[in-house]
Structure formats: structure tokens, C-alpha cells
Amino acid sequence: MPSRTDSPLNIAIIGAGLGGLSAAVALRRQGHHVTVYERYDFAGEVGASLSAASNGSRFLEQWGVDVKAAKPVILKKLIMHDWTTGEVQKEYGLGDYKAKFGTEYNNFHRIDIHQQLLRSAFDEPGEGPQCVLKVNHKAVSLDAEAGDIRFENGETASADLIVAADGIRSESRLQMGITPDFTMSTSCCYRCIISADKLRRLGLDDYIDNAAIEYWGGIGINKIVMSPCSDGDVVSCYCFYPAEHNNLRDDGWNISATPEQLVATFPALDERMQRLLINAEDIKMWRLYRHQPYPYWVKGKVCLLGDAAHPMMPDQSQGSCMAFEDAGALGLIFHRTFAEEYSVAEGLQLYERLRKPRATHIQAASYRAREDLNERIGWSSSTDRPGKLTIEEVCGYNMQVHLEELKASR
């Protein structure tokens, strides 16, 4: 292990989801002592697929996460279908994506990548001291200036640096004096999965074998997004629909629904997709919200990360990647000898300067893409409208170069 010239930090991370665990791994790799506090008995990740473009996957590789063990499907193209007939209208081949951007375009099941991040944080292999996990620790108050946390179970903790990765309904954000400005979206979403074996019995083998993100609709609220994950053993679907269809108002993204409810929402949809949906499993409804950017992400010894910092629509497939980037930024800023350059407080200000403009830009683009597939990276082009988010600026982003530019401008 490389030597360090300063003392490692005592770091507390609130939340053991994908963002919190990513931060734990990134900071462990720099030799810091990290404790992760999870409000539940265990942070069992739920959900369907998530795509990790190169801007997220490169950090997983740098941290030594066993990406292959997370059973990704390597995405090769985007496919657009006609809503009613299912005919292919347009394809976007990713070409030699790895040669261009440095990694494969990985499509994971959330549970699979969560398990590998757990191993990378808390198991023995890997550089840096093993992180500590404390479950049943719900943070109820936070003194950002002192770096103190009080938990519902009566315990307390103090840290040199606190990472608030407690999600879209973050309590830590409120403790930092940030009152979210958000509204209910005009859209809701079902998410569901179906096994490859079942798809083969239904004669829908191509949905497994295309190695693609496939779309139906997307010009307007209605949209289906389908992709394989978990070594091709599972196909995942996100199905967007107008909120007034069932006036879903319950919060969260784990509200159960039936196959019949799902199919009835899309009566004019391609018959093959209807056949998939009526046989789908683990169907959940998800109320979508539109959050305005928060005025700041950092206060005292605390920073926000992931959905706690920049909730966005899922339509750019960048929510998880932005959390991975946030964690990567913390690892780059609080490197082994950071104290020779700046204090913790200065490092956190640098984190906000590095991350907030980019995440806010992608957050805004995710809102635009909610009802216009032509705004989605891969389909979007800056040549038809300047300012559109492009695959090059997202996937080709070099954070290290950006960070060095910010340091030089201080």
C-alpha cells in the first residue's frame, strides 16, 4: 500500500444504497476509515435494471469492483419500435464503444451490482481498511458544523467528513437547511422483470438476444424501455404512463401492481409487448417527481451525494452514473495526501464546484427527455439543436482533467 503523509480521515456515510456504498469504496481505496450507517436492518437493494455508461463504469473498474461478477449485459445498440406494430423504426449502433470511451456499456440488475459494492466495501480483498457497516441506525439529527450525528436508537457519532447518501427523501438535506422545491410529475412508471426462460416459451427470444436498450413510444408521456441484465437471464422494463391514469399519489417506488393493471394502462401497445407485460413479474408502481436544483450541496463537514443531491428523471439512464461520479469525485479530492493541498472544508467546496454544474445539467436534460426521446443521449444530437445533451459529453467526460482545471483556477 502506498505511504501517506497525513492522517486518514474518519468518515461517516449515511445510507447503504448504491451511492453510499460507492462513496465507501472510493474513500476506502484512499486509506480512510469509513463507517456506513444504514437505517434499516439491511439495505437490500430493490428494483430492476440500471445501465452504467462509461462515465459510471470507469469508476467501478478503478475501484476494483468485480464488474463481471455483477453479471452485466454489454449493451451494443439502441432500438426504437413503433408503438402499435412493434416494427423497428430506428437503430443507433454503439459501435466500438469501449475503444471510444474506455469501458463497456454495462447493463446491471440493481441487486447484482449492489452485492458487488457491498463486497468491495466490507470484505477483506482490496486496498484500504475495511469499511464498517452499522445497521438499524436511522439518523435523526445532524450538526453539520461539528460533524455530529444522532441516531433514533440513541447512539451518536462524530466524523471528520459526513457523506449524506440517504436518497431522494433525504432527512440529512433538511438538517442542512435545504428545503426541496419539487412537484409531482405528469408521469408515473411501472417497473417489472421477466425471466429469459419465460420469454423463450413466449417466443420473444429476440428481446434477450438484442443486447440493446429498446424503446416503444417516447414522444409524449407513454414510453416503454426494455433491456436485458443479469447475464441475459432477466429482461427489465420501465413503463411510463400519464399520472392521471390512476392518480397514484403514494410516495416510493415499491408499490405493487398486477399484470392486468399494467396491460390495461397501454391498450394500443404492440401485441408482442402486451404478451410480455401480462406475463411480467415483480411489478411495482413508481410516482415520479420533478425537483428543482438545490441551492448548495455542502455545509460544514457534510456533503450530499446521489439522489440526495440531484434527483432526476430516469429518462437519461444517468441516475446511478451520477452517484458513481459523485463518489469518484470524493475519492479524487480526498486522495491520500490531500491535506498537503487543502483542508476538508476546502475539499468539500471543491467537490461542489466539480459536481454540481454537471449533475444539474444532466438533471435538466433528464426532465426534457421525459416526454421527448430525441433528447435522450444516443438519439440526441447537438447539430439539430445546440445545447442538447450528447453521448460524447456524458460518456467521454474526464473528471481528473476537470478537477485539475478547477484546482488551477482557485
Side-chain angles (χ1 to χ4, degrees), residues 23-71:
V25 176
L27 291 163
R28 172 190 178 179
R29 295 293 181 248
Q30 296 302 325
H32 300 296
H33 299 297
V34 179
T35 303
V36 180
Y37 298 93
E38 169 55 38
R39 65 186 300 172
Y40 299 115
D41 182 57
F42 185 72
E45 188 69 23
V46 297
S49 66
L50 67 89
S51 59
S54 62
N55 59 306
S57 287
R58 70 169 56 98
F59 286 108
L60 297 175
E61 292 184 0
Q62 288 172 14
W63 300 330
V65 176
D66 193 342
V67 171
K68 287 186 178 179
K71 301 184 289 186

Short mmCIF file of all heavy atoms in Angstrom, two decimals, residues 23-71:
data_model
loop_
_atom_site.label_atom_id
_atom_site.label_comp_id
_atom_site.label_asym_id
_atom_site.label_seq_id
_atom_site.Cartn_x
_atom_site.Cartn_y
_atom_site.Cartn_z
N ALA A 23 -19.42 5.59 -2.47
CA ALA A 23 -18.59 6.53 -1.73
C ALA A 23 -17.70 5.78 -0.73
O ALA A 23 -16.52 6.12 -0.55
CB ALA A 23 -19.46 7.56 -1.01
N ALA A 24 -18.26 4.77 -0.09
CA ALA A 24 -17.48 3.99 0.88
C ALA A 24 -16.29 3.34 0.20
O ALA A 24 -15.16 3.37 0.71
CB ALA A 24 -18.38 2.94 1.53
N VAL A 25 -16.51 2.75 -0.98
CA VAL A 25 -15.42 2.07 -1.69
C VAL A 25 -14.38 3.08 -2.16
O VAL A 25 -13.17 2.88 -1.98
CB VAL A 25 -15.98 1.27 -2.88
CG1 VAL A 25 -14.83 0.64 -3.68
CG2 VAL A 25 -16.93 0.18 -2.40
N ALA A 26 -14.84 4.18 -2.75
CA ALA A 26 -13.91 5.20 -3.25
C ALA A 26 -13.02 5.75 -2.14
O ALA A 26 -11.81 5.96 -2.33
CB ALA A 26 -14.69 6.33 -3.92
N LEU A 27 -13.60 5.99 -0.98
CA LEU A 27 -12.84 6.59 0.13
C LEU A 27 -12.01 5.54 0.87
O LEU A 27 -10.92 5.83 1.37
CB LEU A 27 -13.81 7.30 1.07
CG LEU A 27 -14.42 8.56 0.44
CD1 LEU A 27 -15.66 9.01 1.20
CD2 LEU A 27 -13.40 9.70 0.36
N ARG A 28 -12.50 4.30 0.91
CA ARG A 28 -11.67 3.21 1.45
C ARG A 28 -10.39 3.08 0.65
O ARG A 28 -9.30 2.90 1.20
CB ARG A 28 -12.46 1.90 1.40
CG ARG A 28 -11.61 0.69 1.78
CD ARG A 28 -12.27 -0.65 1.50
NE ARG A 28 -11.33 -1.73 1.87
CZ ARG A 28 -11.60 -3.03 1.77
NH1 ARG A 28 -12.77 -3.44 1.31
NH2 ARG A 28 -10.70 -3.92 2.12
N ARG A 29 -10.51 3.17 -0.68
CA ARG A 29 -9.35 2.97 -1.54
C ARG A 29 -8.27 4.04 -1.31
O ARG A 29 -7.11 3.85 -1.65
CB ARG A 29 -9.77 2.99 -3.00
CG ARG A 29 -10.68 1.84 -3.41
CD ARG A 29 -9.96 0.50 -3.35
NE ARG A 29 -10.84 -0.59 -3.76
CZ ARG A 29 -11.29 -1.55 -2.98
NH1 ARG A 29 -10.96 -1.57 -1.68
NH2 ARG A 29 -12.07 -2.51 -3.45
N GLN A 30 -8.66 5.17 -0.70
CA GLN A 30 -7.70 6.22 -0.37
C GLN A 30 -7.17 6.09 1.06
O GLN A 30 -6.49 6.99 1.56
CB GLN A 30 -8.33 7.60 -0.58
CG GLN A 30 -8.69 7.88 -2.03
CD GLN A 30 -7.50 7.79 -2.97
OE1 GLN A 30 -6.38 8.15 -2.61
NE2 GLN A 30 -7.75 7.31 -4.18
N GLY A 31 -7.51 4.99 1.71
CA GLY A 31 -6.95 4.71 3.03
C GLY A 31 -7.71 5.30 4.20
O GLY A 31 -7.23 5.25 5.34
N HIS A 32 -8.90 5.86 3.96
CA HIS A 32 -9.66 6.47 5.05
C HIS A 32 -10.44 5.41 5.83
O HIS A 32 -10.69 4.31 5.34
CB HIS A 32 -10.62 7.52 4.49
CG HIS A 32 -9.92 8.64 3.77
ND1 HIS A 32 -9.05 9.50 4.40
CD2 HIS A 32 -9.94 9.02 2.46
CE1 HIS A 32 -8.58 10.37 3.53
NE2 HIS A 32 -9.09 10.10 2.34
N HIS A 33 -10.84 5.75 7.05
CA HIS A 33 -11.63 4.87 7.90
C HIS A 33 -13.10 5.25 7.71
O HIS A 33 -13.52 6.36 8.08
CB HIS A 33 -11.22 5.02 9.36
CG HIS A 33 -9.78 4.64 9.60
ND1 HIS A 33 -9.30 3.36 9.40
CD2 HIS A 33 -8.72 5.38 10.00
CE1 HIS A 33 -8.01 3.33 9.67
NE2 HIS A 33 -7.63 4.54 10.05
N VAL A 34 -13.86 4.34 7.14
CA VAL A 34 -15.23 4.65 6.72
C VAL A 34 -16.22 3.78 7.50
O VAL A 34 -16.07 2.55 7.58
CB VAL A 34 -15.41 4.39 5.21
CG1 VAL A 34 -16.84 4.68 4.78
CG2 VAL A 34 -14.41 5.22 4.40
N THR A 35 -17.25 4.43 8.05
CA THR A 35 -18.37 3.73 8.67
C THR A 35 -19.64 4.10 7.93
O THR A 35 -19.91 5.29 7.71
CB THR A 35 -18.52 4.10 10.16
OG1 THR A 35 -17.30 3.82 10.85
CG2 THR A 35 -19.65 3.31 10.80
N VAL A 36 -20.39 3.09 7.53
CA VAL A 36 -21.64 3.29 6.80
C VAL A 36 -22.80 3.01 7.75
O VAL A 36 -22.86 1.94 8.38
CB VAL A 36 -21.73 2.37 5.57
CG1 VAL A 36 -23.05 2.60 4.83
CG2 VAL A 36 -20.54 2.58 4.65
N TYR A 37 -23.71 3.97 7.87
CA TYR A 37 -24.86 3.85 8.76
C TYR A 37 -26.12 3.66 7.91
O TYR A 37 -26.47 4.52 7.09
CB TYR A 37 -25.00 5.10 9.62
CG TYR A 37 -23.82 5.33 10.54
CD1 TYR A 37 -22.75 6.15 10.15
CD2 TYR A 37 -23.77 4.73 11.79
CE1 TYR A 37 -21.66 6.36 10.98
CE2 TYR A 37 -22.67 4.92 12.64
CZ TYR A 37 -21.63 5.73 12.23
OH TYR A 37 -20.55 5.94 13.06
N GLU A 38 -26.79 2.53 8.12
CA GLU A 38 -27.98 2.19 7.35
C GLU A 38 -29.19 2.18 8.29
O GLU A 38 -29.15 1.58 9.36
CB GLU A 38 -27.80 0.83 6.68
CG GLU A 38 -29.04 0.24 6.06
CD GLU A 38 -29.72 1.15 5.05
OE1 GLU A 38 -29.03 1.86 4.29
OE2 GLU A 38 -30.97 1.17 5.05
N ARG A 39 -30.26 2.83 7.86
CA ARG A 39 -31.42 3.00 8.72
C ARG A 39 -32.19 1.70 8.95
O ARG A 39 -32.84 1.54 9.99
CB ARG A 39 -32.36 4.05 8.14
CG ARG A 39 -32.99 3.67 6.82
CD ARG A 39 -33.78 4.81 6.22
NE ARG A 39 -34.85 5.23 7.09
CZ ARG A 39 -35.60 6.31 6.89
NH1 ARG A 39 -35.36 7.09 5.85
NH2 ARG A 39 -36.57 6.62 7.70
N TYR A 40 -32.13 0.77 8.02
CA TYR A 40 -32.88 -0.47 8.14
C TYR A 40 -31.98 -1.59 8.65
O TYR A 40 -30.78 -1.41 8.87
CB TYR A 40 -33.49 -0.85 6.79
CG TYR A 40 -34.46 0.19 6.27
CD1 TYR A 40 -34.18 0.90 5.10
CD2 TYR A 40 -35.64 0.49 6.95
CE1 TYR A 40 -35.06 1.85 4.63
CE2 TYR A 40 -36.52 1.44 6.49
CZ TYR A 40 -36.23 2.13 5.32
OH TYR A 40 -37.09 3.09 4.85
N ASP A 41 -32.58 -2.76 8.80
CA ASP A 41 -31.82 -3.91 9.26
C ASP A 41 -30.75 -4.28 8.25
O ASP A 41 -29.65 -4.67 8.60
CB ASP A 41 -32.76 -5.10 9.48
CG ASP A 41 -32.03 -6.32 10.00
OD1 ASP A 41 -31.38 -6.20 11.04
OD2 ASP A 41 -32.09 -7.37 9.33
N PHE A 42 -31.09 -4.11 6.97
CA PHE A 42 -30.09 -4.27 5.92
C PHE A 42 -30.59 -3.58 4.67
O PHE A 42 -31.78 -3.63 4.36
CB PHE A 42 -29.80 -5.74 5.61
CG PHE A 42 -28.68 -5.90 4.61
CD1 PHE A 42 -27.37 -5.63 4.99
CD2 PHE A 42 -28.94 -6.27 3.31
CE1 PHE A 42 -26.34 -5.74 4.07
CE2 PHE A 42 -27.91 -6.39 2.40
CZ PHE A 42 -26.61 -6.12 2.78
N ALA A 43 -29.66 -3.00 3.93
CA ALA A 43 -30.05 -2.26 2.72
C ALA A 43 -30.17 -3.21 1.55
O ALA A 43 -29.32 -3.26 0.67
CB ALA A 43 -29.01 -1.18 2.41
N GLY A 44 -31.20 -4.03 1.53
CA GLY A 44 -31.44 -4.91 0.41
C GLY A 44 -31.92 -4.11 -0.78
O GLY A 44 -33.02 -3.57 -0.77
N GLU A 45 -31.10 -4.00 -1.81
CA GLU A 45 -31.44 -3.18 -2.97
C GLU A 45 -32.60 -3.82 -3.72
O GLU A 45 -32.68 -5.04 -3.88
CB GLU A 45 -30.23 -3.04 -3.89
CG GLU A 45 -30.41 -2.07 -5.02
CD GLU A 45 -30.49 -0.63 -4.53
OE1 GLU A 45 -29.99 -0.32 -3.44
OE2 GLU A 45 -31.05 0.19 -5.27
N VAL A 46 -33.54 -3.00 -4.15
CA VAL A 46 -34.67 -3.48 -4.93
C VAL A 46 -34.63 -2.78 -6.29
O VAL A 46 -33.86 -1.86 -6.52
CB VAL A 46 -36.01 -3.19 -4.23
CG1 VAL A 46 -36.10 -3.93 -2.91
CG2 VAL A 46 -36.21 -1.68 -4.00
N GLY A 47 -35.49 -3.24 -7.18
CA GLY A 47 -35.59 -2.59 -8.47
C GLY A 47 -35.27 -3.54 -9.60
O GLY A 47 -35.16 -4.75 -9.41
N ALA A 48 -35.14 -2.97 -10.78
CA ALA A 48 -34.91 -3.76 -11.97
C ALA A 48 -33.50 -3.46 -12.48
O ALA A 48 -32.54 -3.54 -11.74
CB ALA A 48 -35.99 -3.46 -13.00
N SER A 49 -33.37 -3.08 -13.75
CA SER A 49 -32.04 -2.89 -14.31
C SER A 49 -31.56 -1.46 -14.12
O SER A 49 -32.34 -0.54 -13.87
CB SER A 49 -32.06 -3.22 -15.80
OG SER A 49 -32.87 -2.29 -16.50
N LEU A 50 -30.26 -1.29 -14.25
CA LEU A 50 -29.68 0.05 -14.36
C LEU A 50 -28.54 -0.04 -15.35
O LEU A 50 -27.78 -1.01 -15.37
CB LEU A 50 -29.20 0.59 -13.01
CG LEU A 50 -28.02 -0.07 -12.30
CD1 LEU A 50 -26.70 0.56 -12.74
CD2 LEU A 50 -28.16 0.03 -10.80
N SER A 51 -28.45 0.96 -16.20
CA SER A 51 -27.36 0.97 -17.17
C SER A 51 -26.26 1.87 -16.64
O SER A 51 -26.51 2.94 -16.12
CB SER A 51 -27.84 1.42 -18.54
OG SER A 51 -28.39 2.71 -18.50
N ALA A 52 -25.04 1.38 -16.77
CA ALA A 52 -23.86 2.13 -16.33
C ALA A 52 -23.01 2.41 -17.56
O ALA A 52 -22.20 1.57 -17.98
CB ALA A 52 -23.08 1.36 -15.28
N ALA A 53 -23.22 3.58 -18.12
CA ALA A 53 -22.38 4.02 -19.24
C ALA A 53 -20.95 4.18 -18.75
O ALA A 53 -20.65 4.05 -17.57
CB ALA A 53 -22.93 5.32 -19.81
N SER A 54 -20.05 4.51 -19.66
CA SER A 54 -18.63 4.52 -19.31
C SER A 54 -18.30 5.52 -18.21
O SER A 54 -17.38 5.30 -17.42
CB SER A 54 -17.78 4.82 -20.55
OG SER A 54 -18.10 6.10 -21.05
N ASN A 55 -19.05 6.62 -18.13
CA ASN A 55 -18.74 7.62 -17.10
C ASN A 55 -19.00 7.09 -15.69
O ASN A 55 -18.43 7.59 -14.72
CB ASN A 55 -19.53 8.92 -17.33
CG ASN A 55 -21.02 8.71 -17.34
OD1 ASN A 55 -21.55 7.87 -18.07
ND2 ASN A 55 -21.75 9.48 -16.53
N GLY A 56 -19.83 6.06 -15.56
CA GLY A 56 -20.00 5.39 -14.28
C GLY A 56 -19.16 4.13 -14.17
O GLY A 56 -18.52 3.88 -13.15
N SER A 57 -19.13 3.34 -15.24
CA SER A 57 -18.41 2.07 -15.20
C SER A 57 -16.92 2.24 -14.98
O SER A 57 -16.27 1.39 -14.37
CB SER A 57 -18.66 1.30 -16.50
OG SER A 57 -19.97 0.77 -16.55
N ARG A 58 -16.35 3.35 -15.47
CA ARG A 58 -14.90 3.51 -15.31
C ARG A 58 -14.52 3.62 -13.84
O ARG A 58 -13.44 3.16 -13.43
CB ARG A 58 -14.38 4.69 -16.11
CG ARG A 58 -14.74 6.05 -15.65
CD ARG A 58 -13.91 7.11 -16.42
NE ARG A 58 -14.07 6.96 -17.86
CZ ARG A 58 -14.90 7.70 -18.61
NH1 ARG A 58 -15.63 8.64 -18.04
NH2 ARG A 58 -14.99 7.50 -19.90
N PHE A 59 -15.40 4.20 -13.00
CA PHE A 59 -15.09 4.27 -11.58
C PHE A 59 -15.19 2.90 -10.93
O PHE A 59 -14.37 2.55 -10.07
CB PHE A 59 -15.98 5.29 -10.88
CG PHE A 59 -15.59 6.71 -11.18
CD1 PHE A 59 -16.37 7.50 -12.01
CD2 PHE A 59 -14.42 7.25 -10.69
CE1 PHE A 59 -16.01 8.80 -12.32
CE2 PHE A 59 -14.03 8.54 -10.98
CZ PHE A 59 -14.84 9.32 -11.81
N LEU A 60 -16.19 2.12 -11.32
CA LEU A 60 -16.29 0.76 -10.78
C LEU A 60 -15.01 -0.01 -11.06
O LEU A 60 -14.49 -0.72 -10.18
CB LEU A 60 -17.49 0.04 -11.41
CG LEU A 60 -18.88 0.63 -11.14
CD1 LEU A 60 -19.94 -0.14 -11.93
CD2 LEU A 60 -19.22 0.61 -9.65
N GLU A 61 -14.48 0.14 -12.26
CA GLU A 61 -13.24 -0.55 -12.61
C GLU A 61 -12.06 -0.01 -11.82
O GLU A 61 -11.23 -0.77 -11.31
CB GLU A 61 -12.99 -0.43 -14.11
CG GLU A 61 -13.99 -1.20 -14.96
CD GLU A 61 -13.67 -1.15 -16.45
OE1 GLU A 61 -12.65 -0.51 -16.81
OE2 GLU A 61 -14.43 -1.74 -17.24
N GLN A 62 -11.98 1.32 -11.68
CA GLN A 62 -10.86 1.92 -10.94
C GLN A 62 -10.86 1.48 -9.48
O GLN A 62 -9.80 1.31 -8.87
CB GLN A 62 -10.93 3.44 -11.04
CG GLN A 62 -10.57 3.99 -12.40
CD GLN A 62 -10.84 5.48 -12.53
OE1 GLN A 62 -11.05 6.18 -11.53
NE2 GLN A 62 -10.83 5.99 -13.76
N TRP A 63 -12.04 1.30 -8.91
CA TRP A 63 -12.14 0.90 -7.51
C TRP A 63 -11.88 -0.59 -7.30
O TRP A 63 -11.82 -1.05 -6.17
CB TRP A 63 -13.51 1.23 -6.95
CG TRP A 63 -13.87 2.68 -6.98
CD1 TRP A 63 -13.04 3.75 -6.88
CD2 TRP A 63 -15.20 3.22 -7.13
NE1 TRP A 63 -13.75 4.91 -6.95
CE2 TRP A 63 -15.08 4.63 -7.11
CE3 TRP A 63 -16.47 2.67 -7.28
CZ2 TRP A 63 -16.18 5.48 -7.23
CZ3 TRP A 63 -17.57 3.50 -7.41
CH2 TRP A 63 -17.41 4.90 -7.38
N GLY A 64 -11.77 -1.35 -8.38
CA GLY A 64 -11.56 -2.78 -8.26
C GLY A 64 -12.81 -3.57 -7.97
O GLY A 64 -12.74 -4.72 -7.51
N VAL A 65 -13.98 -2.99 -8.25
CA VAL A 65 -15.24 -3.74 -8.11
C VAL A 65 -15.25 -4.85 -9.15
O VAL A 65 -14.83 -4.65 -10.31
CB VAL A 65 -16.45 -2.80 -8.31
CG1 VAL A 65 -17.76 -3.59 -8.27
CG2 VAL A 65 -16.44 -1.71 -7.24
N ASP A 66 -15.70 -6.03 -8.76
CA ASP A 66 -15.74 -7.17 -9.68
C ASP A 66 -16.94 -7.02 -10.60
O ASP A 66 -18.02 -7.55 -10.34
CB ASP A 66 -15.81 -8.48 -8.90
CG ASP A 66 -15.54 -9.71 -9.77
OD1 ASP A 66 -15.65 -9.58 -11.01
OD2 ASP A 66 -15.26 -10.77 -9.22
N VAL A 67 -16.74 -6.27 -11.69
CA VAL A 67 -17.83 -5.97 -12.60
C VAL A 67 -18.39 -7.23 -13.24
O VAL A 67 -19.61 -7.39 -13.36
CB VAL A 67 -17.35 -4.96 -13.68
CG1 VAL A 67 -18.40 -4.80 -14.78
CG2 VAL A 67 -17.04 -3.61 -13.03
N LYS A 68 -17.53 -8.17 -13.61
CA LYS A 68 -18.00 -9.40 -14.25
C LYS A 68 -18.90 -10.20 -13.31
O LYS A 68 -19.88 -10.81 -13.75
CB LYS A 68 -16.82 -10.24 -14.71
CG LYS A 68 -16.11 -9.68 -15.93
CD LYS A 68 -15.03 -10.63 -16.44
CE LYS A 68 -14.37 -10.06 -17.69
NZ LYS A 68 -13.29 -10.96 -18.20
N ALA A 69 -18.57 -10.19 -12.02
CA ALA A 69 -19.38 -10.93 -11.05
C ALA A 69 -20.76 -10.32 -10.89
O ALA A 69 -21.69 -10.99 -10.40
CB ALA A 69 -18.67 -10.99 -9.70
N ALA A 70 -20.92 -9.06 -11.28
CA ALA A 70 -22.23 -8.41 -11.24
C ALA A 70 -23.09 -8.76 -12.46
O ALA A 70 -24.19 -8.23 -12.61
CB ALA A 70 -22.07 -6.90 -11.12
N LYS A 71 -22.58 -9.62 -13.32
CA LYS A 71 -23.32 -10.23 -14.44
C LYS A 71 -23.96 -9.21 -15.39
O LYS A 71 -25.14 -9.29 -15.70
CB LYS A 71 -24.39 -11.18 -13.89
CG LYS A 71 -23.82 -12.30 -13.02
CD LYS A 71 -24.88 -13.27 -12.56
CE LYS A 71 -25.80 -12.67 -11.52
NZ LYS A 71 -26.75 -13.65 -10.95
#
